[in-house]
Amino acid sequence: MSQTVSAAATSTAATSTAAADAAHAGAPDPLASGLRPLALDVAAPLAGYYLLHSAFGLSEFAALAWSSAFPAARTILGLLGERRLNLWATLMLTVNLAGLALTFVTGDARLMIAKDGGLSGTVALAILVSGLIGRSVMTPMLMPFLTKGQRDRTAAWHRLVEGRAAGSRAFRRHERLFAGVWGTALLAECVARVVGAFTLPVSTMAWLSTVLLIGAIVAGSVFGRIAADPMERLVRAEAEAPTAA
């Protein structure tokens, strides 16, 4: 934002700010709105699973089945009510369904290790496919952090995502790159875990699996900046553009 250089300009800016604050007084907080889908579609199903499985003693299959109800409902309501696919809810539902299918893999420690790799592989494929079709599941996750809860940046974000801004094409390109980085990192972790499950001692994979997952997350976070930083610059430029309203 440009700074004022005179008393008159300062007064005008103060008046405009006051008017904007009054106009947004009853509006929802952009940061809260951006984080809400992550809380509802990711945190809630995960918390439900661990609560049902660990605290209430339900079997893994039952806990996954019950914790799938909420993302399933969110997915259906999104399709029926808003005519759009709730990407995060659909992803969590897909992961839970994959988990339900893999719960029948029991009795072999190596298969159990490979099963966890299969779940991360499901997430990786979902991220990669969503990026290829232009509906990246990673984009909503980025929004709260790149817009920083500022209304002008949030509005700029929506213009870029919806193709109504000059930088939309570049934004989409970096959006796909970000999904590609994370999908590749998680897919590599999946392959390494499955290969390790059948080639390395189980005692080694017991700790190496966690290292591989942490490594994939770190790699996604570090290399994801290659795409996230340009996306943030595009959001900032669009928010500061003279035509932005």
Side-chain angles (χ1 to χ4, degrees):
M1 299 296 289
S2 60
Q3 296 182 351
T4 58
V5 293
S6 66
T10 302
S11 177
T12 302
T15 302
S16 299
T17 302
D21 290 342
H24 293 301
D29 177 52
L31 184 58
S33 298
L35 291 173
R36 189 177 297 114
L38 298 179
L40 290 175
D41 299 326
V42 180
L46 286 175
Y49 166 75
Y50 285 112
L51 187 66
L52 292 170
H53 185 50
S54 301
F56 291 96
L58 268 67
S59 67
E60 184 179 2
F61 186 91
L64 281 170
W66 281 109
S67 63
S68 299
F70 191 64
R74 293 270 295 171
T75 300
I76 294 171
L77 289 175
L79 289 172
L80 296 179
E82 303 175 19
R83 305 292 183 183
R84 68 178 183 86
L85 187 65
N86 186 320
L87 297 178
W88 272 109
T90 304
L91 175 60
M92 290 306 300
L93 179 61
T94 302
V95 171
N96 277 9
L97 292 177
L100 285 171
L102 291 171
T103 52
F104 297 103
V105 179
T106 57
D108 188 321
R110 294 186 181 276
L111 287 177
M112 293 300 292
I113 293 171
K115 182 189 81 168
D116 292 336
L119 291 177
S120 61
T122 301
V123 175
L125 291 175
I127 291 173
L128 290 171
V129 171
S130 69
L132 288 175
I133 64 175
R135 294 288 306 279
S136 174
V137 296
M138 300 301 291
T139 301
M141 181 193 74
L142 268 179
M143 177 183 163
F145 303 102
L146 298 191
T147 61
K148 305 184 188 307
Q150 299 175 18
R151 287 184 171 84
D152 57 343
R153 286 195 176 195
T154 301
W157 173 278
H158 287 299
R159 290 195 295 274
L160 287 163
V161 168
E162 295 164 7
R164 297 186 287 112
S168 289
R169 180 174 296 182
F171 186 87
R172 287 292 192 187
R173 185 170 63 252
H174 293 303
E175 183 183 34
R176 289 193 296 270
L177 177 59
F178 187 78
V181 168
W182 272 95
T184 301
L186 290 174
L187 191 60
E189 182 270 338
C190 165
V191 172
R193 191 188 298 224
V194 172
V195 171
F198 295 103
T199 58
L200 296 175
V202 173
S203 58
T204 299
M205 286 305 299
W207 60 265
L208 185 57
S209 293
T210 302
V211 173
L212 289 172
L213 180 58
I214 293 174
I217 293 173
V218 171
S221 300
V222 172
F223 292 106
R225 299 305 306 180
I226 297 172
D229 288 344
M231 290 172 73
E232 184 172 13
R233 288 194 293 270
L234 286 167
V235 169
R236 186 169 60 249
E238 175 63 21
E240 295 174 352
T243 56

